[in-house]
Amino acid sequence: MEFLEGNCDVSAARMKFKTDRAIPAEGYRIEVSPKKITVSSSTESGRRYALTTLEQMGESIPCCVVEDSPRFGYRGLMLDCVRHFFTAKEVRKVLDVMAFYKMNTFHWHLTDDQGWRFEVPAYPKLTEVGAWRASASLQRMDGLRYGGFYSVEEITGIVEYAASKGITVIPEVDLPGHMVAALASYPELGCTGGPYEVRSGWGISDQVLCAGNPAVYDFLDAVLDEVCRLFPGKYIHIGGDECPKTMWKKCPKCQAKIAELGYTDDERFTKEERLQCHVANHVQKFLSQRGRKVIGWSEIMDGELDEGAAIMSWHDNKAGIEGAERGFDVVMTPALNCYLDYYQSDDWDNEPLAIHKGRRFLPLENVYALDPLDGVKPGTEHHILGSQVSLWTEFISENEHLEYMLLPRMIAGAEVQWRNPEVKDYGRFLRSLEAVHYPLLDAKGYNYRGNMDKNKGGYRVGGIIISAPRL
Ligand code: ACM
Ligand code: ZN
């Protein structure tokens, strides 16, 4: 940003919009003079981001020239609406704050062991049975029937609302593990035939889809056909994380499939890992025939994954680095920089209950510190599409708590996605939170960690004030 003549009164300035093909996609140029604010861009997104920047600059806009464009094309946030269900209205509020921080991709986690959150016409029990579980809490069995799903109208509405804000929705159907809600609905899709119950606790289940049963492939095709109908974006997320091979090792159908495919163990992968890749390749073929691309968690690479898939690197950045070397596109969401379900400080007893108590926390500074290109081999950087902050909700049932975990760490994630490392500055970032962003979040009605004064020395979560130290 270049200041021209100090502060000037722009209250009477006219807005003027120009198209300038030389400006990078999503970039913009703002020229402010006392009479005129000129916004130039080559795309609609660039124009939108320029207006957002002006809003963030507040009332006293200096005379200046701002030229800006994002470092990465994929600027994502993941929200888990399975472990706890958030209403369409609450999801739209998340989209609003994403747009305000120039994020462009909403990864929507819609299926898991603890629930199935959208209707599939050919498989009605997915929502009749699979959307409901026997406990609201996933920490202790409370006996409260809990669940919900999004109607076709709600999903279409969210996709359109997101698009109006320049955000693409990537739906996730987590497969072939994290599928207990589907197994509870259609037990014949599991290796043992069940019975299964939608999970009321969290963790990893050994019960996964039977990869040796042809009915499972028909099921996946029907589910993904509906996903394609509901979600027009290029990418479909197929999960793939944490799929234990315990049942597959014992299941005659899975072992027969492995034999048919001629898989054996070798020093790189087990035959069961290769079987998981076979499922991913089936799904990828199905989706590519419909013009879509697959993205999946790191584990989808464990085997001979067909080209064209993208990898979401989550334990750390290693899978992403390897994926780029193997020629896959990559989104970085390494847990220790990007998992917003982790505690925000090590003040374990004063922060709201979160995952990995006493063991792992993710302070704002570490979100800010990520460089998605760190460790990426020269010549493969072009495969790193960008990064994502990810919010799992095993411990989060209230919208206020959700916002508390999201903010302000999401804003730090947005800076990682947008800014080049040489213009990042954590001190400046902290000052801008206090001076600009907290007042804006207050005005927009968001809860966030850092609003100590407003809440009389504590943080408001789930309607109660709890005490917690300032950052
Ligand atoms: C994951 O956190 N299991 C992707
Ligand atoms: Zn099986």
Side-chain angles (χ1 to χ4, degrees):
M1 178 157 130
E2 186 191 334
F3 290 95
L4 297 182
E5 33 187 283
N7 282 346
C8 59
D9 179 6
V10 295
S11 52
R14 283 180 301 113
M15 289 290 294
K16 192 167 171 223
F17 294 99
K18 275 192 190 163
T19 301
D20 180 346
R21 302 271 168 233
I23 294 176
E26 302 193 288
Y28 58 85
R29 178 181 165 88
I30 304 172
E31 291 156 87
V32 182
S33 69
K35 293 221 176 78
K36 200 165 63 179
I37 299 176
T38 309
V39 166
S40 309
S41 64
S42 61
T43 63
E44 177 67 32
S45 311
R47 177 180 297 192
R48 192 182 292 110
Y49 294 143
L51 292 174
T52 304
T53 295
L54 286 168
E55 188 183 346
Q56 290 179 1
M57 287 165 92
E59 313 249 293
S60 55
I61 298 176
C63 286
C64 62
V65 176
V66 182
E67 273 182 24
D68 202 8
S69 61
R71 183 180 188 203
F72 293 106
Y74 185 112
R75 301 185 300 281
L77 177 138
M78 185 213 76
L79 182 62
D80 168 10
C81 288
V82 175
R83 274 48 176 275
H84 283 94
F85 182 78
F86 295 90
T87 64
K89 189 169 167 213
E90 289 164 342
V91 171
R92 278 200 293 274
K93 199 172 168 207
V94 170
L95 293 168
D96 288 340
V97 74
M98 284 178 67
F100 196 59
Y101 291 104
K102 301 176 183 150
M103 290 183 161
N104 64 3
T105 310
F106 177 57
H107 167 183
W108 200 7
H109 188 74
L110 283 170
T111 73
D112 214 303
D113 298 325
Q114 295 80 6
W116 188 282
R117 302 280 178 244
F118 66 97
E119 293 167 284
V120 178
Y123 291 85
K125 285 197 238 164
L126 287 173
T127 43
E128 289 164 14
V129 174
W132 308 95
R133 64 177 187 248
S135 176
S137 168
L138 295 175
Q139 276 70 56
R140 65 192 156 78
M141 189 70 185
D142 56 24
L144 299 171
R145 181 175 143 88
Y146 179 89
F149 59 92
Y150 302 98
S151 68
V152 169
E153 292 70 31
E154 283 174 321
I155 289 178
T156 310
I158 282 172
V159 168
E160 283 171 6
Y161 186 75
S164 77
K165 295 184 167 271
I167 297 171
T168 303
V169 182
I170 299 185
E172 179 182 354
V173 175
D174 202 344
L175 66 100
H178 287 279
M179 264 286 169
V180 177
L183 296 182
S185 314
Y186 295 96
E188 64 274 21
L189 301 177
C191 289
T192 63
Y196 309 97
E197 272 181 24
V198 180
R199 267 169 82 97
S200 292
W202 62 277
I204 303 171
S205 174
D206 280 342
Q207 304 299 338
V208 303
L209 291 175
C210 176
N213 180 353
V216 163
Y217 297 86
D218 295 341
F219 167 75
L220 292 175
D221 293 355
V223 166
L224 292 168
D225 199 42
E226 182 62 9
V227 165
C228 289
R229 213 172 64 77
L230 293 171
F231 297 94
K234 177 171 76 168
Y235 280 107
I236 308 289
H237 202 298
I238 62 163
D241 57 320
E242 298 172 328
C243 177
K245 310 299 186 293
T246 323
M247 306 311 293
W248 290 3
K249 285 186 180 145
K250 295 190 273 197
C251 170
K253 289 194 283 273
C254 285
Q255 289 301 318
K257 188 77 192 174
I258 285 170
E260 177 197 320
L261 293 165
Y263 292 158
T264 50
D265 294 341
D266 63 23
E267 62 286 349
R268 293 195 68 207
F269 305 113
T270 67
K271 56 193 193 314
E272 285 79 17
E273 283 172 335
R274 292 178 189 279
L275 183 61
Q276 181 174 339
C277 237
H278 169 75
V279 177
N281 288 338
H282 169 91
V283 164
Q284 181 168 200
K285 200 160 156 210
F286 180 89
L287 289 172
S288 68
Q289 283 161 357
R290 283 153 184 77
R292 307 305 182 93
K293 283 175 83 82
V294 154
I295 184 163
W297 299 111
S298 311
E299 292 95 320
I300 66 166
M301 255 187 352
D302 297 342
E304 309 298 332
L305 180 65
D306 289 345
E307 63 181 40
I311 307 300
M312 193 170 268
S313 189
W314 70 274
H315 301 90
D316 47 38
N317 62 359
K318 290 198 187 77
I321 293 168
E322 183 197 325
E325 281 173 34
R326 285 169 60 182
F328 298 114
D329 286 343
V330 167
V331 171
M332 291 289 192
T333 185
L336 278 170
N337 300 96
C338 295
Y339 268 30
L340 305 188
D341 55 330
Y342 290 7
Y343 275 83
Q344 307 201 46
S345 77
D346 59 358
D347 189 3
W348 312 109
D349 292 324
N350 289 314
E351 290 284 344
L353 187 67
I355 198 164
H356 304 318
K357 182 168 185 177
R359 290 190 290 128
R360 276 182 166 200
F361 69 107
L362 173 51
L364 183 62
E365 189 166 6
N366 293 10
V367 182
Y368 195 82
L370 176 68
D371 181 350
L373 295 185
D374 206 18
V376 175
K377 207 165 153 193
T380 68
E381 293 99 335
H382 62 285
H383 281 301
I384 311 300
L385 305 177
S387 65
Q388 174 172 292
V389 287
S390 297
L391 183 49
W392 302 102
T393 59
E394 281 94 339
F395 289 76
I396 304 169
S397 60
E398 302 264 348
N399 192 56
E400 274 185 335
H401 186 188
L402 183 87
E403 291 175 3
Y404 174 89
M405 299 305 271
L406 205 55
L407 296 162
R409 289 184 296 180
M410 186 200 111
I411 307 175
E415 289 233 358
V416 166
Q417 296 166 349
W418 188 279
R419 282 179 183 267
N420 285 319
E422 59 276 14
V423 290
K424 277 170 68 188
D425 175 342
Y426 189 61
R428 181 212 31 86
F429 175 68
L430 285 184
R431 288 190 296 279
S432 77
L433 285 181
E434 295 285 347
V436 179
H437 299 292
Y438 292 162
L440 282 168
L441 292 174
D442 283 333
K444 289 172 185 290
Y446 286 93
N447 191 31
Y448 55 93
R449 188 186 192 280
N451 54 359
M452 185 167 74
D453 301 336
K454 196 175 95 183
N455 290 322
K456 302 184 190 70
Y459 294 88
R460 178 169 45 102
V461 170
I464 36 170
I465 309 282
I466 55 156
S467 67
R470 206 164 183 120
L471 292 165

